[in-house]
Amino acid sequence: MAKLKDQKRLKKGRKARAISFGTIALLYALLFPLYRLSDLLLCGALALVVSKVVGIMGQGLDLTTHNKPQPGEKAAVPVEEIPLSGDSTADAVIAKGQDILHQIRAENDAIADEVLSGQMDELERLCAQIFKTVAEKPNKAPQIRKFMNYYLPTTMKMLASYRTMDSRGVSVTDMTHARSETIRGMNMILTACQKQLDNLYKDTMLDVSTDIDVLEQMLKRDGLTDGEFSKDATAAAAQMNATRPPVLNTQSSADDDFVSFYSQQRNSKE
């Protein structure tokens, strides 16, 4: 769709240039004599410059912002290239996945709906992560076979059907229903993509958990865990309490204004 718009704009610009060139040349010939070669060259140069400016304006381009995306359009970002793994089975999956990423981007460019566009951005991101995981771990390729052969092709068919309906001018009621169903379908496939990515790392999580369990057992055996430190601190506190000297009462009583330290010590022995 974007390419078709560019072609129409270029065609419009060429037509504007041709008309303006002829108009400027004719006006110059009516206003100034064309007896000398220099007059002809000047007329041609003036007509060429003016026609070029008119052609650019006819294309609807802004000379200061023509490289920026138009309102409602996203900046062009190249599809992420997934590196090959060297494994023939995995590389076949990666090549097919790369093609799917291009299909997602093409449908995203053709469908103007912001909600669906955001969902397709997320779908492209998750799929790229899945394919990169296969590139890093070729033995994971069989795990995504059904995902590649059924789920993603069905998703692309769904998006293509919605785009076709939208371009053919289907009634508002039918398009509203189609949009709602397509959004619902995209939510389901996004959830499936996330779970598929999680499944590819389940054995990694198991390895991490096993390593942590082994580490915990070794720390306990060597008395280096928080639990062992707490036990040692409790035992040390109990030992200090057992060896601590008795606390003497140095406060005055109501009957005796002063009791010497030695009297208290003698009484405590008795």
Side-chain angles (χ1 to χ4, degrees):
M1 183 177 292
K3 186 179 291 186
L4 182 60
K5 289 181 180 179
D6 291 338
Q7 291 176 352
K8 289 182 178 179
R9 191 164 53 230
L10 290 174
K11 185 177 180 181
K12 185 178 179 181
R14 286 194 294 267
K15 185 177 180 181
R17 282 198 300 270
I19 294 174
S20 62
F21 185 89
T23 302
I24 295 300
L26 179 61
L27 289 174
Y28 191 95
L30 292 174
L31 296 174
F32 303 99
L34 298 176
Y35 302 135
R36 296 172 297 179
L37 178 61
S38 59
D39 295 331
L40 292 173
L41 293 176
L42 181 59
C43 176
L46 179 62
L48 183 63
V49 171
V50 174
S51 64
K52 187 173 182 180
V53 173
V54 172
I56 293 175
M57 295 175 64
Q59 293 178 25
L61 296 179
D62 184 350
L63 293 177
T64 61
T65 61
H66 67 278
N67 289 325
K68 297 181 180 179
Q70 298 297 319
E73 295 182 3
K74 295 184 297 183
V77 179
V79 175
E80 183 174 1
E81 293 294 327
I82 310 300
L84 297 178
S85 65
D87 180 87
S88 58
T89 302
D91 288 346
V93 172
I94 294 170
K96 186 175 182 180
Q98 194 74 59
D99 180 62
I100 289 176
L101 290 178
H102 283 281
Q103 292 180 47
I104 296 172
R105 181 65 62 84
E107 295 297 341
N108 202 347
D109 291 340
I111 297 175
D113 189 278
E114 291 185 3
V115 175
L116 286 171
S117 180
Q119 289 178 317
M120 284 183 279
D121 286 340
E122 181 65 8
L123 177 63
E124 183 179 339
R125 185 190 71 81
L126 288 171
C127 288
Q129 294 301 319
I130 290 173
F131 303 144
K132 283 196 290 187
T133 300
V134 172
E136 295 168 358
K137 302 178 180 181
N139 61 316
K140 301 287 185 181
Q143 294 185 30
I144 66 170
R145 183 178 292 113
K146 189 173 183 180
F147 181 76
M148 293 284 295
N149 294 335
Y150 180 74
Y151 296 122
L152 285 180
T154 301
T155 302
M156 301 315 302
K157 181 181 177 182
M158 173 184 69
L159 292 171
S161 298
Y162 177 85
R163 172 185 33 89
T164 301
M165 292 175 63
D166 189 33
S167 64
R168 299 291 166 78
V170 177
S171 66
V172 174
T173 302
D174 288 343
M175 281 307 302
T176 300
H177 178 71
R179 179 179 182 274
S180 176
E181 288 297 295
T182 304
I183 290 174
R184 186 171 71 89
M186 286 296 293
N187 283 332
M188 289 191 295
I189 195 63
L190 288 175
T191 301
C193 283
Q194 185 61 65
K195 289 186 177 180
Q196 180 69 77
L197 182 61
D198 294 343
N199 288 338
L200 293 176
Y201 284 94
K202 273 191 173 180
D203 56 348
T204 302
M205 290 301 301
L206 181 61
D207 291 342
V208 171
S209 297
T210 301
D211 291 341
I212 291 175
D213 289 341
V214 172
L215 178 62
E216 183 180 14
Q217 294 302 320
M218 293 179 64
L219 291 172
K220 284 183 178 180
R221 185 187 63 190
D222 296 336
L224 299 176
T225 62
D226 290 340
E228 295 298 328
F229 287 140
S230 298
K231 291 179 181 178
D232 292 343
T234 302
Q239 184 176 3
M240 289 178 64
N241 288 332
T243 59
R244 183 178 299 167
V247 178
L248 299 178
N249 181 15
T250 59
Q251 295 180 352
S252 300
S253 65
D255 299 330
D256 190 358
D257 293 333
F258 177 79
V259 180
S260 69
F261 170 80
Y262 299 102
S263 298
Q264 291 187 54
Q265 192 174 41
R266 185 174 60 252
N267 291 337
S268 62
K269 289 181 178 179
E270 293 175 353

